[in-house]
Amino acid sequence: MSVEAREKRQPWILLSPALGAVTLLLLVPLLFIVVYSFWLRSAVGPDTVGFHLDNWQRALTDPFYRYILFNTLKIAAITTFFCALLGYPAAYFITRSSGNKLILLLLLMLPFWISYIIRTMSWINILGSSGALNSLLMSMGITSSPVQMLYNEATVILGLVHFLLPFMVLNIYVSLDGIDTNLEDAATSLGATRWQAFLQVTLPLSLPGLAAGGLLCFVLGAGTYITPLILGGPRDAMFANLVFEAIITQLNWPMGSALSLLLLIVLGALVAIYNRFLGMSQLTKGLS
Amino acid sequence: MDNSKRYERLLERYRNGDLDRRSFLGLIGAAGLAYGVQTPFARMAFAQDVSQVRFDGWGGVVSEAFRRYAFDPYTEATGITVVDGTFAGGDEYLAQVRSSREGEYNIAHLSGVFDYARYVNFGLDVELNLDNIPNMELVMDALTNAFRGITPDHLSAVPYNYGTTGLAYNRAYISDEEIREKGASILIAPEYEGKIGGWSDWRTRLWYAALQTGQSPNDIQDMEAAWDAIRAHRDLALKYWGSGAELMSLLAEEEIYVTEGWSGRIAALQEQGHDIGYYDPPSSFGWQECLFVIKGSPVEACEELLNFMLAPETSIAVAEGQNYPPALDGTKVDLGEKIPTLPAYDPSGTLEALTFADPTYWNGNEAEWSETFARVQRGF
């Protein structure tokens, strides 16, 4: 074998464990889900094997699924907006702080050491009828009885922002950290105010990080089901809750498979659009 | 049946002339060959089967009671370890069992005869040898007969306890007189908007909707009226709870004042000092729980555990711990002082006072109703 051929083969040999793992743990299960989505659920007993388009037809034409999908995308979009709004100043502050940057980054990572479910449930102790906030309001005489703050769409968004904010901050931080601060100084020396320098120099240059954080927050937010389950009311549900219910409660695995693939396709399309205009490299930079 | 017994039976058949010498030696030889060629891993797997049984239940005070009064003493007596897991709902657990390999799950604390029927329909049942479970004689016939209606020629479970899903209410805000007067309709009373809860289980929602619309839960004629009652409850409710722990937390923290609740969990709240009342309205949701042995399990080890768990001293201790009356017949066994005071207890041993879900009716409509409920819950 020539040296050239050996060199050509080497990357594939090195990649083979990772490719094998991805194939076995991601592609093969995904293939099972695709096959399952064409089966049919029987009233009792095992599912009906075959190639049926019924599940797909319902998933694509039923207004109920469209409504929940739209609502899911709406909640994910609002969450992403608030993450950006809160995350940008935090990331800017960390980037510009001198000396204690590492401590601030460590504090940012701290929530990841606690279970996501526990973090979500902590809001019950803060916003509940006998929670910290109501106790404070009543002790200050602002209200005489507890204010109902929990179990609605707002608390679902609050829980999601709490969960996703660090992803946004990290991505923006990575982007801001790579910008030469001399550019802002140059802008001010040319007559721009600090605010103008930020708006016309720093902000445009940090947009790829903001977009990468936005994509991560949106995709993770749209795929969640724990937060509405814990902090939502009877009506509050996201698309992943329907997948959970179809598979777990209704034992309708074929329909659950079709719904999960539909969500995958929608979110996959968004990632593809992002990749087309901004490229995935910014995303991986934010994660590194 | 262990291998020694198999060989003894083979020898007996040979001695009785049911088996010729050539076949007898051939079978013995094949067994020896199979034993000789099995790998060390096979022996380890075999050893694991008989040294460990997995039990899955509802968690919380129920699991604590099982661990303390049944599993630990059983392990001490037999050397077989009981690994216990928990689940929040029967549907979720069935999905797990269906996607597992045979033998991964062994005994489950299932709720309702409809669950028994579902497991049988999925081919997950085994045939228990009741000779190995002599304590079954102490169990109420009414409970066992419900399972025999589904599998007339065998049983894959033993009844273990029963209870009701009745109305739980905070006495500081709702009086005993009011709950008796309003019954199930209190769950759709507008004056308690935002302080009403409910289990997210579609069966319970429909059962109570039937009561709220004056219909028999086992024969709902006006389905649209029932769905409307569910919609009314949904709009007034603060939260659908998904587990016993969440139910107890919502009531204890006064997030909600009234909900339907599991009798044993409410009794546990009362024991903790919370002023929570419990009332079974007419045709309240009665259910029985069983210990179901799942296909692929080490059946003999499971039978041994079941017999141990049904022994009066264990069964009564578990019942007192979990606050649900045991399946033991009160006319045959002295159940002590606490059990007759538990909610839903039936001293007659016939259970005629309780209304149970008709498995044929509910399972036959499961596919349609569970899906419709998911839509109604979300505002459709």
Side-chain angles (χ1 to χ4, degrees), chain A residues 3-15:
Chain A
V3 176
E4 210 173 88
R6 213 182 308 156
E7 276 181 357
K8 233 179 200 177
R9 189 181 283 188
Q10 208 168 26
W12 289 107
I13 293 169
L14 291 170
L15 274 174

Side-chain angles (χ1 to χ4, degrees), chain B residues 97-297:
Chain B
V97 171
R98 282 185 67 196
S99 58
S100 69
R101 62 185 160 75
E102 252 184 41
E104 194 175 337
Y105 294 95
N106 303 138
I107 303 177
H109 193 187
L110 300 184
S111 176
V113 182
F114 50 80
D115 252 352
Y116 184 91
R118 287 200 301 175
Y119 277 69
V120 169
N121 286 339
F122 281 117
L124 293 166
D125 56 322
V126 300
E127 186 170 344
L128 292 178
N129 181 358
L130 297 186
D131 292 341
N132 291 337
I133 316 172
N135 284 326
M136 269 293 280
E137 285 181 10
L138 305 174
V139 170
M140 280 185 266
D141 290 337
L143 291 173
T144 313
N145 290 343
F147 298 132
R148 290 206 185 277
I150 295 159
T151 50
D153 55 340
H154 71 278
L155 283 179
S156 186
V158 298
Y160 201 68
N161 58 281
Y162 62 97
T164 54
T165 302
L167 294 168
Y169 56 100
N170 189 323
R171 280 203 176 100
Y173 304 95
I174 296 169
S175 67
D176 295 343
E177 292 73 33
E178 187 181 358
I179 202 92
R180 274 167 181 73
E181 184 196 323
K182 291 182 175 164
S185 296
I186 199 162
L187 294 173
I188 49 171
E191 59 267 35
Y192 293 113
E193 181 175 6
K195 286 296 175 187
I196 295 171
W199 190 13
S200 57
D201 171 57
W202 63 271
R203 289 180 201 86
T204 307
R205 295 267 54 79
L206 257 179
W207 188 283
Y208 269 86
L211 298 186
Q212 285 151 3
T213 53
Q215 303 186 71
S216 162
N218 281 322
D219 183 23
I220 305 172
Q221 296 295 320
D222 189 348
M223 277 310 297
E224 209 35 58
W227 290 122
D228 282 343
I230 290 177
R231 288 185 185 99
H233 174 264
R234 170 203 69 198
D235 292 342
L236 295 169
L238 172 71
K239 176 81 178 157
Y240 282 169
W241 47 269
S243 67
E246 197 178 10
L247 158 71
M248 291 170 77
S249 164
L250 285 168
L251 279 170
E253 299 288 327
E254 297 196 359
E255 291 289 350
I256 55 172
Y257 298 158
V258 64
T259 175
E260 72 276 328
W262 303 330
S263 53
R265 292 293 178 128
I266 304 307
L269 269 179
Q270 289 167 345
E271 278 178 1
Q272 287 169 17
H274 297 282
D275 193 15
I276 304 295
Y278 186 78
Y279 171 63
D280 273 317
S283 296
S284 181
F285 197 162
W287 39 261
Q288 58 165 300
E289 291 187 322
C290 65
L291 303 176
F292 191 97
V293 179
I294 299 165
K295 190 180 176 185
S297 301

Side-chain angles (χ1 to χ4, degrees), chain A residues 56-69:
Chain A
W56 280 101
Q57 195 184 353
R58 281 183 54 207
L60 294 170
T61 58
D62 193 327
F64 171 64
Y65 296 121
R66 271 208 305 273
Y67 164 76
I68 300 285
L69 184 60

Side-chain angles (χ1 to χ4, degrees), chain A:
Chain A
M1 189 188 293
S2 69
V3 176
E4 210 173 88
R6 213 182 308 156
E7 276 181 357
K8 233 179 200 177
R9 189 181 283 188
Q10 208 168 26
W12 289 107
I13 293 169
L14 291 170
L15 274 174
S16 58
L19 286 175
V22 169
T23 307
L24 275 175
L25 302 174
L26 189 71
L27 296 181
V28 172
L30 196 63
L31 195 67
F32 278 129
I33 293 175
V34 172
V35 172
Y36 241 113
S37 72
F38 294 105
W39 292 8
L40 281 182
R41 181 217 181 157
S42 59
V44 285
D47 300 314
T48 310
V49 179
F51 184 78
H52 308 275
L53 291 171
D54 304 43
N55 297 320
W56 280 101
Q57 195 184 353
R58 281 183 54 207
L60 294 170
T61 58
D62 193 327
F64 171 64
Y65 296 121
R66 271 208 305 273
Y67 164 76
I68 300 285
L69 184 60
F70 174 75
N71 200 45
T72 301
L73 299 179
K74 183 192 83 182
I75 289 174
I78 295 171
T79 302
T80 306
F81 171 76
F82 279 110
C83 282
L85 204 66
L86 297 169
Y88 201 100
Y92 191 86
F93 177 75
I94 295 172
T95 314
R96 294 290 184 264
S97 62
S98 52
N100 53 1
K101 207 180 278 188
L102 269 179
I103 295 170
L104 291 173
L105 282 172
L106 189 72
L107 286 174
L108 190 69
M109 303 298 288
L110 215 57
F112 289 114
W113 298 358
I114 305 164
S115 155
Y116 163 45
I117 295 172
I118 302 291
R119 273 184 286 151
T120 307
M121 290 189 82
S122 68
W123 286 105
I124 295 172
N125 292 322
I126 297 168
L127 301 177
S129 290
S130 50
L133 197 56
N134 265 316
S135 301
L136 182 72
L137 289 175
M138 286 196 289
S139 68
M140 290 169 73
I142 296 171
T143 58
S144 56
S145 57
V147 180
Q148 190 56 58
M149 292 182 264
L150 273 176
Y151 310 123
N152 49 51
E153 194 172 282
T155 45
V156 173
I157 293 170
L158 180 70
L160 284 174
V161 170
H162 179 201
F163 164 48
L164 297 169
L165 193 57
F167 293 99
M168 179 66 88
V169 175
L170 277 176
N171 274 282
I172 300 172
Y173 166 77
V174 169
S175 189
L176 285 171
D177 203 41
I179 299 171
D180 189 347
T181 50
N182 289 327
L183 289 173
E184 265 190 39
D185 294 338
T188 48
S189 72
L190 291 170
T193 61
R194 300 295 299 180
W195 180 240
Q196 281 174 323
F198 169 76
L199 277 183
Q200 289 172 23
V201 178
T202 311
L203 184 63
L205 287 171
S206 65
L207 278 183
L210 192 65
L215 181 76
L216 265 182
C217 290
F218 189 88
V219 170
L220 290 173
T224 191
Y225 81 98
I226 289 284
T227 310
L229 215 58
I230 295 174
L231 297 177
R235 279 173 184 255
D236 297 311
M238 293 174 76
F239 206 76
N241 293 88
L242 295 189
V243 177
F244 175 83
E245 280 170 13
I247 290 174
I248 303 294
T249 309
Q250 298 157 21
L251 298 173
N252 192 348
W253 291 16
M255 190 66 204
S257 302
L259 292 176
S260 64
L261 284 172
L262 182 62
L263 185 64
L264 186 73
I265 291 165
V266 170
L267 297 179
L270 283 169
V271 174
I273 292 167
Y274 174 90
N275 187 42
R276 171 72 182 80
F277 292 103
L278 293 161
M280 296 301 283
S281 57
Q282 184 62 37
L283 197 64
T284 49
K285 206 196 313 177
L287 290 170
S288 61

Side-chain angles (χ1 to χ4, degrees), chain B residues 343-361:
Chain B
Y345 174 69
D346 183 351
S348 71
T350 61
L351 296 175
E352 280 172 3
L354 300 182
T355 310
F356 293 95
D358 174 357
T360 313
Y361 178 71

Side-chain angles (χ1 to χ4, degrees), chain B residues 23 25 46 136 145 190 196 225 268 272 289 299 306 316 325 340 353 362:
Chain B
S23 303
L25 290 176
F46 179 72
M136 269 293 280
N145 290 343
I196 295 171
Q272 287 169 17
E289 291 187 322
V299 176
L306 295 183
I316 291 168
W362 285 88

Side-chain angles (χ1 to χ4, degrees), chain B residues 354-375:
Chain B
L354 300 182
T355 310
F356 293 95
D358 174 357
T360 313
Y361 178 71
W362 285 88
N363 285 353
N365 289 298
E366 180 184 358
E368 184 194 339
W369 289 352
S370 61
E371 203 182 309
T372 308
F373 173 67
R375 288 161 187 268

